[in-house]
Amino acid sequence: MNGYSPAARPSSSGDAAAKTSDPRSPRPLLRFAEDLARLPSSELGGTLRALLPFSSLPTPLEAAASPELASESASPAALPPELKGILVRRGIAELWSHQAEALARANAGRDVLVATPTASGKSLIYNLATAARLLERRGARALFLFPLKALEHDQLAGLRADLETLSALDPPTAEIYDGDTSPYRRKKLRESPPSVLLTTPDMLHFGILPGHDQWKEFFRNLELVVVDEVHTYRGVLGAHFAQVLRRLARVARHHGAEPRFIACSATVGNPRAFARELFGRELDVVAHDGAPAPQRWLAALEPEASAYTTAARLFRRCVRAGLRTIAFTQARRVTELMHLWVLEAEPQLAGRISSYRSGFLPEERRAIEKRLFEGDLLGVISTSALELGIDVGGLDVCILVGYPGSVLATRQRAGRVARGREGLVFMIPQEDALDRFFLRHPERLVTRPCEDAVLDATSLEIAAAHLPCAAAEVPLAHAETWLESPGVKRALALAHARGSLLESAAGGESFAARRDPAREVSLRAAGESFAIRRAGETGRRVVGTIGGARVTGECHPGAIYLHRAQSYRVTALDFERRSVEVEGPVEVDWYTRPVVEKETEILEVLRSRPIGNTLAKLGRLRVTSRTKAYEKRRIFGQDLLGRHPLDLPPTVFETEGVWLELAPQIERALKSEGLHFMGGIHGLEHAALALFPLFALCDRFDAAGISIPRHAQVRGPAIFLYDSHPGGIGISRAIFPRFEELVALAGEITRECPCVDGCPSCIHSPRCGAGNHPLDKRGVIRVIDLALARAPLPAKRDELVEPELFEEIAEPAVSAAPAPLIFDVETQRAAGDVGGWGNTHLMRLALAVVYDTGSGQFETYTEAQSDALVERLFAAPAVVGFNVRRFDYGVLRAYTARKFEDLPTFDLLEDVHKKLGYRLSLAHLAAQTLGRSKTGDGLQSLEWWKAGRLDLIEAYCRMDVELVRDLLAFAARERHVIFQRKDGERVRLPVEWDGTSILARTARVREMRS
Ligand SMILES: [Zn+2]
Ligand SMILES: [Zn+2]
């Protein structure tokens, strides 16, 4: 033993060990890491790239706003003696500040979310709060919800022991009710419900809520609902669970109860907003971590060959040094392999190390946790299973085999060390874009805030599936408040249209069409799902389920389907019975890859804004994909073993997505430089998708993409990135505001990657339906530079000349109406910056001035107020401007999906052009007619923008609007304006520019609009 470690001494508990560490080396772990750095890379199979402090992050800003509440009421001294007993039993002298605050809020009858790191004593908070309720009213009931069955079992013993301190003779009871509970036990529990019922969302959904009448006693007295590991309820599961929670509150209300909620979560970026979406109500957020945080270091280790080999060697070295070590892998198979390799190399470690994963029996897991806690086990190799819940005490070293996929999971896993004493975290990257990114920038892993947890509580398909469940529980009254949101309304209409909900004859109420709709809804899939069964097996025994949107891609006949690290061969796919038949598990050294063709249709544009030389949009999409064939490839080396055509119907689903509409000049620029444009946009799509998990808590496969060089609706090149679950689950929505940052980072990762032509660490995607072809790495970098306007967009000479203006103006029809608006915009960029006048939509709004001819008021709108500006224009009876149709509307088109052709518009320049056959500038007309000259020009305005002088731009823009206003006033009086001909003659141009004439001329557009 090298004596690096406190645990090298015969000592058990973490705290005691900390005290016995060698006083001469106050930083034994740091010394250990520094020694590693001096090793030749052949020893470790890798090189230590960085070693830096890895402290806890500050509380998310959003949560810090939570008003302070005096926590004295929850200090141990103030607790009733029975609750003090719980602390004594646990050997706790004092609550940490976040525990005290959360408890005080819960006891005050508030709904609370505690969002703090792993092992910060969250279960103590809800156990104490529950005990407090039970002390006050012995008949009260509480419901504890855990995302996994294993976690219920983890909590049960501790909870029971806590409850026993309340009354030794007749303690309140706690029982689990889940899929493993026998029918006999279930009946007993329904007849006499325990004080605390522990269950899973799935059981609540199809086992408890549908039969709530048998649980009358329980629901009537339900006072508290505890929801643990809340951050796991995101994406598809989150959208389902949001509905289940609404059903739960509804059923409780039906029985006369209004339970309060206590929720616990890992640290996420948006705890308040996330809780609001999930629970449909406002929760008090407690997000500061009051637990002491000893120093922790992060070491980034670059493997020479395989991350697994390096990890196994490092693991052995740590354990040999007497350090209590945990390694986290991404898959069960890898866990077992590493365990095997370590024991092969060092058989003497048998009995001192173990693997740990979800397939183990609860007793096996308890035994491992206990031995780890007590220091009997020195090392554990685990899947993410040990990331949640369970206290295993303070460990010394955490080895991350591959980036865990999110900052949140990284911090959860790192939270296993440095509890009570210092800790060291190793990150060993695999061949993946994010892994490599954090290897190059470990400081960003340390400083990056946790991701936002996203969920769409009104996801159409999912809400439509739960409404019949709710109606079966208690008939839906259409006046119920939760049905008021537009999303739920759409789902309600869909459920009626599908016939899964039937409206009462009198109207105003709906009933479920089927008897037990909850049975048909799986919380783990969106849209209709397919059951995967072994050939010959029927009924409820399934290998798994798969969503209808993914079934042809992953479970086509002949596919190798991976489930929990086991391979199955698909033998049949039955659309009618929604079932997949498989054989296996099979041992094969090859995998299958579908060849997919996709297309996308834009159904509705929800948001639009310009970024650089592109338009970024968010909207509803219809995606059609067809699996045309599949390839068999060898797992090692990826050699193509065969290609098999398939004849399957297309899969069509609606979802939400974001997309980029690129200026056509980008394509021209790439082609002229000999770069592959399709390869460029395709690679950008892949790189951007790989980064999705950095911006919203999701798996990169929760989103998919399509790049199209010429999209019919866009009329040009477009890159679509969309939620791969029907209806969307909120990911694209979360990405949209940060789209520019995402694309810029995709460019950075591609540029930094040392490969030549693209690789899995930058632009290759493991799930590309086109087999990663075509891809052009230099093309990706160039597309991004041009798209983000980091490089000037080349334009042909004629694109820099203002186009001729021809536009038919609607014929007059008489109508009386209120006053038109006069309006003008100034831009941030010149035509030359955006590739010519054809791209006015990329010039970006600097500001706009609107003049209301009715009220005589001026209004100014900046880019941030573009939505309000568009609303203002569309609410006006008519809009008047100079060259407004081609220029001003062109600029605004970037910010809205609304159609400016629908806007009643009178363009003075068009009218002049129609009358004369040529154009006159506003400056010319103003000088000749009003004797006034313009100060400054458009180019000057661009300079002001660069100098940040919005005030000067505003004055300039307002002057233009005033000139138009005064020209109109002159024309209304004199029935003409004045201009100077080429021969120098000043002449009158007869015009009908009074308000009535203008409104009459724009009336037809108004009529068509209404
Ligand atoms: Zn690369
Ligand atoms: Zn692809």
Side-chain angles (χ1 to χ4, degrees):
M1 300 275 174
N2 305 3
Y4 289 114
S5 161
R9 291 157 193 280
S11 157
S12 57
S13 118
D15 286 346
K19 285 181 201 103
T20 59
S21 69
D22 189 349
R24 285 161 306 175
S25 53
R27 294 272 146 105
L29 288 173
L30 197 58
R31 222 183 70 216
F32 175 73
E34 285 162 355
D35 288 352
L36 282 184
R38 277 191 285 275
L39 282 179
S41 69
S42 54
E43 288 270 312
L44 207 57
T47 314
L48 198 67
R49 288 279 174 231
L51 182 62
L52 60 171
F54 187 25
S55 51
S56 35
L57 288 170
T59 305
L61 278 180
E62 187 212 12
S66 179
E68 279 306 315
L69 191 88
S71 49
E72 283 81 51
S73 56
S75 82
L79 291 179
E82 292 89 344
L83 295 191
K84 254 188 253 175
I86 292 179
L87 298 188
V88 171
R89 183 191 77 75
R90 290 185 174 224
I92 294 169
E94 200 147 7
L95 291 178
W96 290 324
S97 61
H98 67 276
Q99 292 173 317
E101 189 191 336
L103 186 59
R105 286 174 189 276
N107 288 348
R110 311 280 302 171
D111 296 317
V112 186
L113 170 71
V114 188
T116 52
T118 322
S120 54
K122 282 176 280 202
S123 59
L124 179 61
I125 298 171
Y126 56 71
N127 282 4
L128 283 173
T130 306
R133 290 312 307 140
L134 289 167
L135 274 180
E136 209 168 293
R137 191 169 82 84
R138 188 51 200 271
R141 294 288 183 269
L143 179 67
F144 282 22
L145 291 163
F146 299 94
L148 300 170
K149 277 194 270 184
L151 294 172
E152 305 165 318
H153 294 274
D154 289 335
Q155 294 298 333
L156 184 63
L159 173 65
R160 279 183 173 158
D162 283 347
L163 294 179
E164 269 159 27
T165 61
L166 297 187
S167 157
L169 290 178
D170 182 22
T173 50
E175 299 287 348
I176 289 176
Y177 187 89
D178 66 16
D180 299 339
T181 313
S182 69
Y184 171 77
R185 287 283 303 151
R186 289 190 190 190
K187 189 156 174 290
K188 292 278 280 188
L189 289 174
R190 282 194 298 264
E191 283 165 5
S192 79
S195 307
V196 184
L197 189 72
L198 293 82
T199 190
T200 59
D202 310 78
M203 198 49 161
L204 179 63
H205 155 65
F206 67 76
I208 297 177
L209 289 175
H212 62 92
D213 273 333
Q214 296 174 304
W215 290 92
K216 241 182 233 153
E217 212 24 54
F218 182 75
F219 281 112
R220 189 178 295 153
N221 293 298
L222 184 60
E223 290 199 19
L224 195 61
V225 176
V226 168
V227 187
D228 205 354
E229 308 287 0
V230 161
H231 61 279
T232 59
Y233 299 112
R234 54 192 194 244
V236 171
L237 177 61
H240 278 291
F241 190 50
Q243 297 299 326
V244 173
L245 285 170
R246 282 154 183 75
R247 284 165 50 200
L248 169 64
R250 214 172 150 258
V251 162
R253 204 170 306 129
H254 174 77
H255 291 283
E258 283 285 345
R260 312 315 305 175
F261 289 83
I262 298 180
C264 296
S265 159
T267 309
V268 295
N270 59 339
R272 185 176 302 277
F274 177 61
R276 188 187 304 124
E277 186 80 11
L278 183 64
F279 290 88
R281 56 170 83 194
E282 205 66 43
L283 272 67
D284 286 6
V285 176
V286 177
H288 64 87
D289 180 10
Q295 185 58 55
R296 188 186 296 153
W297 286 275
L298 177 76
L301 189 60
E302 182 172 12
E304 219 148 62
S306 141
Y308 305 143
T309 319
T310 311
R313 287 193 191 176
L314 177 65
F315 184 85
R316 278 164 48 200
R317 199 168 275 275
C318 292
V319 171
R320 263 205 321 255
L323 298 170
R324 286 162 64 178
T325 304
I326 185 163
F328 282 105
T329 69
Q330 318 277 49
R332 281 161 54 153
R333 194 171 50 88
V334 178
T335 303
E336 294 305 345
L337 269 181
M338 266 184 65
H339 186 208
L340 206 71
W341 291 344
V342 172
L343 285 182
E344 267 171 18
E346 308 203 24
Q348 76 278 13
L349 287 181
R352 301 306 311 273
I353 68 167
S354 172
S355 59
Y356 185 102
R357 54 181 172 78
S358 53
F360 287 9
L361 295 172
E363 308 86 76
E364 295 177 281
R365 291 165 46 135
R366 282 314 76 75
I368 297 171
E369 289 154 16
K370 187 158 175 287
R371 290 179 59 207
L372 190 60
F373 189 91
E374 289 171 352
D376 177 30
L377 273 185
L378 264 180
V380 165
I381 303 166
S382 174
T383 56
S384 61
L386 252 177
E387 184 182 304
L388 297 174
I390 321 130
D391 188 8
V392 292
L395 306 179
D396 300 306
V397 177
C398 165
I399 301 173
L400 305 172
V401 189
Y403 171 60
S406 66
V407 174
L408 182 142
T410 304
R411 289 192 167 269
Q412 289 268 94
R413 293 176 192 188
R416 286 294 171 205
V417 303
R419 281 281 158 193
R421 55 181 178 191
E422 295 184 334
L424 181 57
V425 181
F426 287 96
M427 210 276 282
I428 308 179
Q430 293 179 291
E431 288 289 309
D432 185 88
L434 285 180
D435 289 55
R436 293 287 152 172
F437 172 69
F438 283 122
L439 174 69
R440 287 190 299 267
H441 305 285
E443 73 288 349
R444 297 208 205 175
L445 187 55
V446 167
T447 55
R448 219 178 151 82
C450 287
E451 297 83 359
D452 283 2
V454 299
L455 113 100
D456 178 3
T458 56
S459 180
L460 183 62
E461 287 290 334
I462 291 173
H466 282 273
L467 286 169
C469 304
E473 284 146 19
V474 181
L476 281 178
H478 294 181
E480 291 178 42
T481 46
W482 70 304
L483 302 178
E484 279 167 14
S485 95
V488 179
K489 267 197 183 133
R490 277 202 299 150
L492 194 65
L494 182 62
H496 279 129
R498 284 181 178 164
S500 56
L501 273 183
L502 301 173
E503 192 161 358
S504 59
E509 231 187 340
S510 291
F511 305 95
R514 315 266 296 253
R515 221 172 55 84
D516 195 358
R519 279 272 162 214
E520 290 156 34
V521 181
S522 157
L523 301 192
R524 316 273 163 170
E528 54 170 27
S529 59
F530 285 61
I532 304 172
R533 287 195 181 83
R534 269 197 211 89
E537 286 182 350
T538 50
R540 295 225 173 110
R541 253 187 87 88
V542 295
V543 172
T545 58
I546 184 164
R550 286 163 51 200
V551 75
T552 58
E554 292 176 42
C555 286
H556 57 78
I560 292 296
Y561 177 70
L562 276 171
H563 184 75
R564 300 207 169 165
Q566 305 267 33
S567 299
Y568 297 85
R569 195 198 326 262
V570 176
T571 50
L573 169 57
D574 186 337
F575 287 92
E576 203 115 292
R577 289 171 46 223
R578 281 199 262 149
S579 78
V580 176
E581 198 181 88
V582 297
E583 60 181 28
V586 292
E587 290 286 333
V588 284
D589 64 349
W590 45 271
Y591 66 97
T592 54
R593 198 183 68 74
V595 179
V596 185
E597 263 179 26
K598 292 191 286 192
E599 54 189 85
T600 171
E601 182 190 342
I602 299 166
L603 299 175
E604 185 187 358
V605 178
L606 299 171
R607 302 293 307 274
S608 168
R609 67 192 172 87
I611 58 177
N613 292 317
T614 59
L615 286 187
K617 296 195 175 172
L618 169 74
R620 293 198 303 116
L621 304 173
R622 179 180 291 133
V623 177
T624 306
S625 68
R626 194 186 282 272
T627 307
K628 310 272 289 180
Y630 70 95
E631 293 175 356
K632 260 188 191 177
R633 283 176 182 269
R634 205 180 292 288
I635 290 174
F636 297 103
Q638 328 246 317
D639 312 332
L640 182 63
L641 302 175
R643 189 185 161 106
H644 307 266
L646 288 168
D647 183 21
L648 293 171
T651 305
V652 184
F653 71 100
E654 289 184 24
T655 185
E656 281 188 353
V658 289
W659 65 97
L660 292 174
E661 298 181 1
L662 301 174
Q665 284 84 352
I666 295 179
E667 177 171 8
R668 224 179 292 147
L670 261 81
K671 288 196 168 147
S672 72
E673 293 160 26
L675 298 171
H676 198 296
F677 179 66
M678 183 58 208
I681 59 175
H682 186 200
L684 167 53
E685 172 210 317
H686 285 181
L689 279 176
L691 295 179
F692 262 44
L694 272 188
F695 292 83
L697 213 45
C698 65
D699 192 284
R700 71 194 276 183
F701 303 120
D702 285 335
I706 305 177
S707 353
I708 304 174
R710 221 157 317 287
H711 188 270
Q713 288 167 295
V714 172
R715 295 189 191 166
I719 301 167
F720 292 88
L721 308 164
Y722 55 87
D723 292 25
S724 55
H725 304 279
I729 52 172
I731 300 171
S732 299
R733 247 181 241 204
I735 295 285
F736 181 74
R738 299 175 71 188
F739 210 174
E740 185 166 12
E741 195 186 335
L742 174 81
V743 176
L745 200 55
E748 195 182 321
I749 282 187
T750 311
R751 199 188 304 270
E752 280 180 350
C753 190
C755 71
V756 179
D757 293 326
C759 70
S761 298
C762 56
I763 57 174
H764 283 200
S765 164
R767 282 217 193 163
C768 177
N772 284 305
H773 183 83
L775 287 175
D776 181 346
K777 184 177 171 182
R778 281 173 54 225
V780 175
I781 296 168
R782 189 74 177 127
V783 167
I784 292 175
D785 282 348
L786 290 168
L788 295 182
R790 305 255 160 106
L793 204 56
K796 285 185 185 162
R797 184 183 294 274
D798 61 355
E799 284 168 336
L800 291 172
V801 179
E802 264 194 85
E804 283 294 313
L805 299 162
F806 286 103
E807 193 79 27
E808 279 306 310
I809 290 181
E811 284 305 309
V814 181
S815 121
L821 296 182
I822 300 172
F823 138 89
D824 187 42
V825 309
E826 299 302 328
T827 63
Q828 301 178 16
R829 307 168 72 201
D833 298 334
V834 297
W837 288 100
N839 288 342
T840 44
H841 61 289
L842 300 178
M843 290 169 75
R844 299 185 73 144
L845 181 65
L847 61 77
V849 170
V850 169
Y851 176 76
D852 185 331
T853 59
S855 69
Q857 299 291 317
F858 286 94
E859 298 155 22
T860 303
Y861 295 85
T862 61
E863 187 180 30
Q865 297 158 319
S866 57
D867 284 350
L869 172 62
V870 170
E871 284 310 307
R872 181 78 168 104
L873 295 179
F874 276 86
V879 176
V880 184
F882 200 89
N883 195 15
V884 62
R885 230 189 266 274
R886 285 296 171 97
F887 181 69
D888 304 48
Y889 289 173
V891 174
L892 289 187
R893 192 156 60 81
Y895 299 89
T896 179
R898 301 190 70 159
K899 297 200 164 35
F900 285 94
E901 304 90 81
D902 297 346
L903 192 51
T905 301
F906 185 65
D907 191 325
L908 299 189
L909 182 59
E910 277 178 3
D911 197 44
V912 168
H913 184 256
K914 220 160 94 176
K915 290 190 158 78
L916 291 177
Y918 55 90
R919 301 180 302 154
L920 298 169
S921 70
L922 178 60
H924 177 96
L925 274 177
Q928 299 300 325
T929 308
L930 306 172
R932 296 207 331 243
S933 57
K934 278 178 68 164
T935 53
D937 57 24
L939 292 176
Q940 175 71 65
S941 168
L942 295 171
E943 291 303 316
W944 287 331
W945 173 260
K946 283 178 198 143
R949 295 300 303 268
L950 269 176
D951 54 331
L952 294 177
I953 301 176
E954 182 178 13
Y956 170 71
C957 189
R958 180 170 163 147
M959 182 189 68
D960 268 7
V961 171
E962 281 170 353
L963 289 179
V964 170
R965 177 196 64 184
D966 296 347
L967 275 175
L968 289 182
F970 182 93
R973 206 168 55 238
E974 308 289 338
R975 318 299 296 172
H976 68 257
V977 289
I978 296 166
F979 72 100
Q980 189 171 33
R981 287 203 316 208
K982 293 231 169 73
D983 59 10
E985 200 70 53
R986 288 180 72 234
V987 295
R988 289 181 177 188
L989 176 67
V991 291
E992 308 78 38
W993 287 1
D994 58 295
T996 316
S997 303
I998 288 171
L999 286 167
R1001 283 167 180 227
T1002 54
R1004 184 184 288 178
V1005 179
R1006 258 195 317 279
E1007 271 165 22
M1008 275 165 47
R1009 189 174 67 175
S1010 60

